[in-house]
Amino acid sequence: MSQTSPVSKRPDLPAVHPGMGGRGVLQRFADVLPVTDATPDITLGEGDTPLVRSVRLEKETGCQALYFKLESCNPSGSFKDRGMVVAVAKAVERGDRAVLCASTGNTSASAAAYASRCGLEAYVIVPHGRVAEGKLAQAVAHGAHIIAIEGGFDDALRLAREVTARHPIALVNSVNPHRIEGQKTAAFEIVDALDDAPDMLCLPVGNAGNITAYWRGFVECYQRESAKKKPLMWGFQAAGAAPIVSGEPVPDPQTVATAIRIGNPASWQRAIEARDESGGDIQSVTDEQILNAYRRLAQEEGIFCEPASAAGVAGLLQQAASVDLAGKTVVCVITGTGLKDPERALAEFAFELNPVPPELATVEREMGLA
Ligand SMILES: *Cc1c(COP(=O)(O)O)cnc(C)c1O
């Protein structure tokens, strides 16, 4: 392990796509992941996502530098791919023939993608009517077996645990430790890009696997001195689904941000540890704040994310009202792409299409040029 870069160099492994990037998380980070000689080297080109600087919101928050980590650029469109590639590789290594997850959508899209690539069956349990269309389309396209239950995510996860306790099927939710290991690599990339950890990391919190993973990644960077500091972890839950904020499970969580519509997070305790050990905070933001950040990211930063991803940015704007961010470097994690949920976009950005004749004069008039 080099002191300055967490990126692994494995001369023993051939480049997957020479000169075209796409080495993937398992190769790049082999020496800090549970990779053995028996782990298959699979990738869809996950990881190595852009860290782009804010052009407008930065000034408003008063921080020195604001960056967005575009996890929406992962192959299935969310950060879940970083952990899923490790979880599925380990399932193949163990000889499992099938994977199962409970999902608000993105976990199932990612599991289905990697399972199809490895020739495994994928089973997904989803809360009926609460999964964004794009995510369902992905699971269907990859040939996953979809079980829709009349219940919420928390019921789905309970059932997934029960099934995998009785059958030789790998559970690939973030309760699978390999998921967390894979997801921590996003923290390594941020440290690599900034040459240190940021002062604050803002992200949405649902089942709380990701805040757990980032914290582990930053702690590891600090321990091996590739970072001089550790960030404050600022996690944000939707107001109608904020069990960690209120201190008790939410029986019927409600929010437009379906990816974080979770009332009893599996990694609750570890999220609290990340919060407290980092000196950070976990707060709630309303759906109105979330949708406001969703619109502003799209129209002022050029970033089209899904509503859950906007919760981290909504949270930063909320914090900026009371915390002095002068001199601070902040990273917001954009967890998933807006293409997942086109219905939400069309509802949010009111528009009407009135077809006109294909004539220059008419088009100019429509454009306000005539
Ligand atoms: C899964 C997910 C989250 C929540 O992450 P947790 O690890 O469950 O806290 C947030 N945003 C998106 C887009 C997700 O897919």
Side-chain angles (χ1 to χ4, degrees):
M1 185 83 254
S2 93
Q3 290 246 308
T4 50
S5 167
V7 176
S8 129
K9 299 192 177 54
R10 293 198 55 187
D12 52 314
L13 289 176
V16 177
H17 305 297
M20 294 172 67
R23 273 202 310 151
V25 158
L26 285 172
Q27 271 202 25
R28 287 179 60 221
F29 299 105
D31 51 3
V32 286
L33 291 175
V35 172
T36 71
D37 290 345
T39 311
D41 182 24
I42 59 174
T43 186
L44 282 167
E46 64 291 326
D48 206 5
T49 57
L51 186 71
V52 303
R53 189 151 178 185
S54 164
V55 288
R56 299 235 161 68
L57 296 180
E58 177 180 294
K59 283 184 202 68
E60 190 173 318
T61 61
C63 63
Q64 181 174 313
L66 169 60
Y67 295 92
F68 303 108
K69 179 67 170 162
L70 300 187
E71 289 293 284
S72 44
C73 293
N74 276 299
S76 84
S78 86
F79 73 83
K80 300 296 199 299
D81 294 338
R82 286 182 191 275
M84 197 57 72
V85 70
V86 184
V88 170
K90 296 305 276 187
V92 171
E93 182 178 338
R94 260 197 321 269
D96 289 328
R97 308 298 308 274
V99 298
L100 167 65
C101 64
S103 181
T104 59
N106 282 334
T107 301
S108 66
S110 186
Y114 286 93
S116 68
R117 194 159 174 89
C118 296
L120 301 182
E121 297 294 322
Y123 296 90
V124 307
I125 307 179
V126 298
H128 182 56
R130 301 185 191 178
V131 175
E133 208 167 48
K135 304 175 187 181
L136 212 47
Q138 289 178 286
V140 171
H142 292 301
H145 306 270
I146 302 172
I147 301 110
I149 59 161
E150 292 160 349
F153 172 83
D154 302 288
D155 300 305
L157 182 56
R158 175 179 51 79
L159 289 161
R161 288 184 196 254
E162 287 172 11
V163 171
T164 49
R166 292 162 56 88
H167 303 275
I169 297 175
L171 180 63
V172 294
N173 280 103
S174 58
V175 294
N176 178 327
H178 301 308
R179 281 277 312 278
I180 306 290
E181 284 296 302
Q183 285 171 212
K184 77 183 180 186
T185 60
F188 300 163
E189 290 177 12
I190 292 172
V191 167
D192 219 17
L194 299 178
D195 225 8
D196 199 352
D199 294 292
M200 289 94 181
L201 185 89
C202 299
L203 79 173
V205 174
N207 216 22
N210 213 26
I211 191 170
T212 301
Y214 269 95
W215 180 237
R216 182 175 304 169
F218 285 122
V219 168
E220 289 184 13
C221 287
Y222 181 76
Q223 284 169 345
R224 60 170 176 265
E225 296 174 21
S226 55
K228 292 178 278 299
K229 59 176 182 265
K230 293 173 276 186
L232 273 58
M233 301 297 286
W234 282 359
F236 300 95
Q237 299 198 291
I244 299 177
V245 179
S246 68
E248 51 194 294
V250 176
D252 185 19
Q254 302 290 340
T255 171
V256 292
T258 51
I260 53 172
R261 188 171 172 178
I262 293 175
N264 192 8
S267 298
W268 189 323
Q269 194 49 42
R270 291 190 292 177
I272 288 180
E273 285 162 18
R275 179 194 71 190
D276 295 346
E277 288 172 18
S278 74
D281 207 350
I282 296 179
Q283 300 185 344
S284 66
V285 286
T286 65
D287 278 4
E288 199 184 327
Q289 287 174 289
I290 290 172
L291 291 174
N292 178 51
Y294 172 76
R295 280 188 298 267
R296 295 195 62 188
L297 279 165
Q299 304 200 335
E300 297 175 45
E301 298 282 359
I303 295 172
F304 184 33
C305 65
E306 64 171 285
S309 309
V313 177
L316 172 63
L317 295 174
Q318 173 168 287
Q319 287 280 46
S322 57
V323 180
D324 182 10
L325 294 173
K328 303 296 185 195
T329 297
V330 181
V331 172
C332 289
V333 182
I334 303 299
T335 49
T337 172
L339 292 170
K340 298 269 190 181
D341 199 352
E343 278 176 332
R344 169 56 52 190
L346 296 179
E348 215 41 48
F349 303 100
F351 76 109
E352 214 178 318
L353 289 182
N354 297 311
V356 295
E359 297 160 0
L360 176 61
T362 315
V363 170
E364 283 181 335
R365 198 168 55 241
E366 288 288 314
M367 292 173 68
L369 299 173

